[in-house]
Amino acid sequence: MSTSMPLGTAAPGRGRRRPRYGQYVLELVMIAVAVVFLFPVYALITLAMKDPRQISESPLSLPSPPTFGNFGDAWSSASLGPALVNSTVITAVSLLLLIVLGSTGAYYLARCARGLGYGLYILFLLGIVLPFQLGMIPLYKLVDDLGWLGTYQGMVLFYTGIQLPFTVFLYTGFIRALPPDYAQAALIDGCNHRQAFTRVVFPLLRPITGTVIILNAVFIWNDFFTPLLYLGGSDKETVPVGIFAFVGQYVSDYGLVFAGLVLAALPILIVFVLLQRYVIKGFAGGLKG
């Protein structure tokens, strides 16, 4: 005699969610990756708050007690104040020029010059592929002939020229993904291309502008070789060059060295935290185009 299950009753074993072991493994892998990436940060902060005795006895343990005086000593000994001012001025002016030139150039390539724009776009891509180290000697000679060695102008000119192809690449992809209807409506209403760009298009570029600021700011702020070559021995040395000289002078006191590194990394870290949500938005908008 056969029996039938009541209507609406699930069969045994059905309706239960089986454990997703693959998802658990993926989560464990991501946790391990996070630990690997966070360990250098932990070591940096921990060593910055220890005196030489604690570092020699147990370098990776928690500081007991923490020594916050290393930060004040590093600030005064490494002359980080002037170096931070120099890095801020060079980075801010370079970013301003990159945003203005990169966004306007990308708008021209993406909207105003269809045939010629593609050739110019490929030319900018070549600027990304070719390493800038190939032109270090001619660029150094150019800056020297201009009398801009040891000046803000020389560094701003260098960074603007080197990072402009990458900036144009990011802006062009994002502008191509935007609907052209907004700019066309502005042109119909009597605006020229400059007015349509500044009043309508550029406010829509906020995500990619945040991406441009973060990526270029990290590169310019952390660059060591170029400021050492162009600013070495002057009063315009940036933070990485100042930290390099400081490390050579206080190599035996690693607490001061790591405290100086924390102070040098803090400003760009704050900028990254404030703008990091725009990175994914900017890349996602560019990929759509």
Side-chain angles (χ1 to χ4, degrees):
M1 182 176 182
S2 61
T3 58
S4 59
M5 297 180 59
L7 186 63
T9 304
R14 295 182 182 179
R16 297 180 181 178
R17 298 186 61 181
R18 297 181 180 179
R20 300 178 179 178
Y21 297 105
Q23 182 178 356
Y24 296 154
V25 172
L26 179 61
E27 292 178 355
L28 291 177
V29 171
M30 296 303 296
I31 293 174
V33 171
V35 171
V36 170
F37 277 93
L38 290 176
F39 179 77
V41 179
Y42 165 80
L44 178 64
I45 298 176
T46 300
L47 292 173
M49 295 189 295
K50 288 185 176 182
D51 55 34
R53 180 186 59 82
Q54 296 183 40
I55 294 177
S56 61
E57 293 178 354
S58 54
L60 296 181
S61 63
L62 292 174
S64 179
T67 306
F68 294 100
N70 287 338
F71 296 97
D73 295 339
W75 179 272
S76 58
S77 301
S79 300
L80 287 181
L84 286 172
V85 172
N86 296 333
S87 291
T88 302
V89 171
I90 293 173
T91 303
V93 178
S94 300
L95 288 176
L96 179 61
L97 291 177
L98 286 171
I99 292 172
V100 173
L101 298 177
S103 60
T104 54
Y107 179 73
Y108 178 80
L109 296 179
R111 291 283 189 265
C112 302
R114 295 293 182 180
L116 180 62
Y118 181 76
L120 293 176
Y121 181 68
I122 296 300
L123 186 62
F124 275 106
L125 292 183
L126 291 177
I128 301 176
V129 175
L130 295 177
F132 74 91
Q133 289 84 356
L134 296 177
M136 287 303 297
I137 295 178
L139 287 173
Y140 183 87
K141 187 66 170 59
L142 173 63
V143 175
D144 188 19
D145 293 339
L146 293 173
W148 286 356
L149 287 178
T151 63
Y152 291 143
Q153 302 95 296
M155 295 304 303
V156 170
L157 175 66
F158 178 87
Y159 286 129
T160 302
I162 291 298
Q163 293 299 105
L164 187 59
F166 180 63
T167 303
V168 170
F169 168 74
L170 293 177
Y171 271 120
T172 303
F174 195 89
I175 292 175
R176 286 176 176 172
L178 290 177
D181 302 342
Y182 301 107
Q184 291 175 359
L187 294 175
I188 293 174
D189 290 340
C191 293
N192 54 34
H193 283 291
R194 180 184 60 82
Q195 294 171 333
F197 173 75
T198 56
R199 298 178 181 179
V200 178
V201 177
F202 187 76
L204 300 175
L205 302 181
R206 187 180 303 172
I208 195 62
T209 300
T211 304
V212 167
I213 291 174
I214 290 178
L215 298 181
N216 287 317
V218 170
F219 172 79
I220 296 172
W221 187 274
N222 293 330
D223 186 28
F224 168 73
F225 177 71
T226 306
L228 180 65
L229 184 64
Y230 288 81
L231 302 176
S234 69
D235 59 347
K236 300 296 190 298
E237 291 183 345
T238 57
V239 170
V241 180
I243 291 294
F244 174 73
F246 176 72
V247 170
Q249 183 178 4
Y250 294 92
V251 67
S252 60
D253 195 342
Y254 289 101
L256 291 180
V257 171
F258 283 98
L261 292 175
V262 171
L263 293 175
L266 193 58
I268 199 66
L269 180 62
I270 294 174
V271 173
F272 181 81
V273 170
L274 293 177
L275 299 179
Q276 52 103 11
R277 63 191 179 98
Y278 290 110
V279 175
I280 302 301
K281 291 182 179 179
F283 277 122
L287 291 175
K288 293 177 183 178

